[in-house]
Amino acid sequence: MTPQEDFTHDAMQYAPQLFSTAMRMTRNRNNAEDLVQETFIKAWRSFATYQQGTNLRAWLFRIMTNTYINKYNAQQRKPTETELDDVEELFLYKRLGAVDQSQLSQSAEDQMLSMFTDDEVKNALEELPDQFRIPVLMSDVEGFSYKEIAEILEIPLGTVMSRLHRGRKSMQKMLYEYAKKRGLINEALLPQGDDE
Amino acid sequence: MANCQETLNEMYAYLDAELATERATEIIGHLKVCTDCQSAYEFHAEFKSIIRLKAQKDELSEGFLDRLRECFGDDSLKDA
Ligand SMILES: [Zn+2]
């Protein structure tokens, strides 16, 4: 295979991952498809500058993230850290006891997690403001390291960590609210106060 | 060995495989002897894996991959 064919073959392998992330970014199938297409067109144009041995996957996600931020004027680099409410540590874990057992078929400890539907998890992610959503997507869904995420987003490592932390807690709170709406939570079962 | 507070603080760094080996060993050491931290850890490990599992399933539209292949110009279409 020529280097071009190699490159195409390797890049195409990442298409489903890029598409899923594009779906969470744009929240719309047509826009997500356009975003991945644009990413591949840009990647192909930059092929001459692509160094063999570079992490192709991270490179493609970086192109896509930049394209998304520029195209949708995402608030990625603006320091709007107040955009998310501060959520208590271990938010969801501390509320496990409030799951109404009678509403669930499972009895395992992990019921709080298995009870969430795909759509609820996707929605919770998509509800996060961009600057929190993209780090959570890159870490939890795509498995990139903090350093790779810092490079993809061009933000400091410490910022990656704090946004991940806040984004994850905020997702937990949203999922809890979804469960409440579905009648799966009985708050009377929660321990009262923080004096324990 | 790490204490409870340290373990909870560094739980995600451990889950994300971001801790140095030595520190990871200290966290594991604590998880082995503390059932409270162990169960918090298991919950968050599952939370992380469930996000991955549930947010990664998006079916591709028919013809989308073909359209993507066209982004690479003619070279890539030789064996298509
Ligand atoms: Zn402990």
Side-chain angles (χ1 to χ4, degrees), chain A residues 12-28:
Chain A
M12 283 303 293
Q13 284 190 315
Y14 300 124
Q17 304 169 19
L18 288 161
F19 177 69
S20 265
T21 295
M23 281 289 283
R24 302 289 89 69
M25 282 173 169
T26 63
R27 297 170 248 200
N28 171 289

Side-chain angles (χ1 to χ4, degrees), chain B residues 4 30 34 37:
Chain B
C4 289
H30 181 83
C34 176
C37 287

Side-chain angles (χ1 to χ4, degrees), chain A residues 8 15-16 20 28 31 33 35 38 66 75 81 100 107 112 116 136 143 146 148 150 152 154 159 165 167 189 193-194:
Chain A
T8 303
S20 265
N28 171 289
N31 292 344
E33 290 187 354
L35 184 59
E38 218 171 316
N66 274 320
Q75 303 293 298
E81 304 289 329
D100 190 341
S107 56
M112 186 70 163
F116 296 119
V136 174
Y146 296 170
E148 287 169 324
I152 287 169
E154 297 167 48
T159 309
H165 186 63
L189 296 170
D194 11 293

Side-chain angles (χ1 to χ4, degrees), chain B residues 2-12 27 30-31 37:
Chain B
N3 64 32
C4 289
Q5 196 52 55
E6 290 168 341
T7 301
L8 294 178
N9 287 345
E10 293 169 55
M11 185 167 64
Y12 254 114
I27 299 294
H30 181 83
L31 291 176
C37 287

Side-chain angles (χ1 to χ4, degrees), chain A:
Chain A
M1 282 205 286
T2 66
Q4 283 87 346
E5 283 168 338
D6 269 339
F7 179 80
T8 303
H9 175 260
D10 292 347
M12 283 303 293
Q13 284 190 315
Y14 300 124
Q17 304 169 19
L18 288 161
F19 177 69
S20 265
T21 295
M23 281 289 283
R24 302 289 89 69
M25 282 173 169
T26 63
R27 297 170 248 200
N28 171 289
R29 180 169 286 272
N30 289 334
N31 292 344
E33 290 187 354
D34 285 351
L35 184 59
V36 180
Q37 266 180 290
E38 218 171 316
T39 301
F40 277 7
I41 289 167
K42 282 183 186 170
W44 183 243
R45 271 194 221 129
S46 316
F47 175 68
T49 60
Y50 172 76
Q51 307 270 317
Q52 205 99 44
T54 307
N55 182 343
L56 175 63
R57 188 167 166 263
W59 189 70
L60 290 170
F61 273 92
R62 183 173 176 170
I63 294 174
M64 190 168 84
T65 303
N66 274 320
T67 306
Y68 169 71
I69 290 169
N70 293 330
K71 198 169 174 176
Y72 294 90
N73 204 8
Q75 303 293 298
Q76 188 48 39
R77 294 189 186 92
K78 291 183 189 165
T80 46
E81 304 289 329
T82 47
E83 222 181 298
L84 271 190
D85 290 343
D86 210 15
V87 177
E88 170 192 1
E89 297 299 319
L90 309 176
F91 183 90
L92 200 50
Y93 179 65
K94 285 181 179 164
R95 283 161 180 75
L96 280 175
V99 180
D100 190 341
Q101 309 271 347
S102 61
Q103 303 285 327
L104 296 171
S105 48
Q106 278 148 305
S107 56
E109 200 192 25
D110 62 7
Q111 59 194 349
M112 186 70 163
L113 292 174
S114 43
M115 73 189 196
F116 296 119
T117 65
D118 291 5
D119 281 345
E120 283 175 328
V121 173
K122 287 175 181 174
N123 284 341
L125 263 169
E126 290 170 12
E127 286 296 313
L128 289 174
D130 282 312
Q131 69 266 40
F132 300 98
R133 179 166 20 128
I134 297 175
V136 174
L137 277 172
M138 294 299 160
S139 175
D140 287 342
V141 183
E142 298 304 332
F144 284 115
S145 70
Y146 296 170
K147 189 169 165 282
E148 287 169 324
I149 299 169
E151 285 165 8
I152 287 169
L153 286 170
E154 297 167 48
I155 55 175
L157 204 70
T159 309
V160 171
M161 290 164 73
S162 69
R163 289 184 185 177
L164 262 179
H165 186 63
R166 295 189 55 197
R168 283 163 167 168
K169 282 195 300 182
S170 179
M171 255 192 95
Q172 291 189 5
K173 193 174 175 199
M174 277 186 269
L175 285 167
Y176 182 74
E177 296 301 327
Y178 298 159
K180 215 153 89 178
K181 257 185 227 156
R182 276 205 279 141
L184 299 176
I185 302 292
N186 177 359
E187 287 194 317
L189 296 170
L190 279 179
Q192 295 300 304
D194 11 293
D195 52 343
E196 18 152 16

Side-chain angles (χ1 to χ4, degrees), chain B residues 12-68:
Chain B
Y12 254 114
Y14 174 63
L15 271 173
D16 294 339
E18 296 282 347
L19 287 185
T21 318
E22 208 172 291
R23 189 58 179 159
T25 310
E26 287 168 357
I27 299 294
I28 295 167
H30 181 83
L31 291 176
K32 275 185 183 149
V33 297
C34 176
T35 52
D36 285 353
C37 287
Q38 172 75 37
S39 89
Y41 167 76
E42 280 169 7
F43 174 84
H44 288 85
E46 201 189 346
F47 186 65
K48 189 176 161 79
S49 71
I50 270 179
I51 293 175
R52 183 182 204 128
L53 214 71
K54 302 205 172 195
Q56 220 177 21
K57 284 184 286 185
D58 291 278
E59 270 185 50
L60 305 180
S61 310
E62 224 185 292
F64 178 54
L65 288 178
D66 291 331
R67 290 203 298 283
L68 281 183

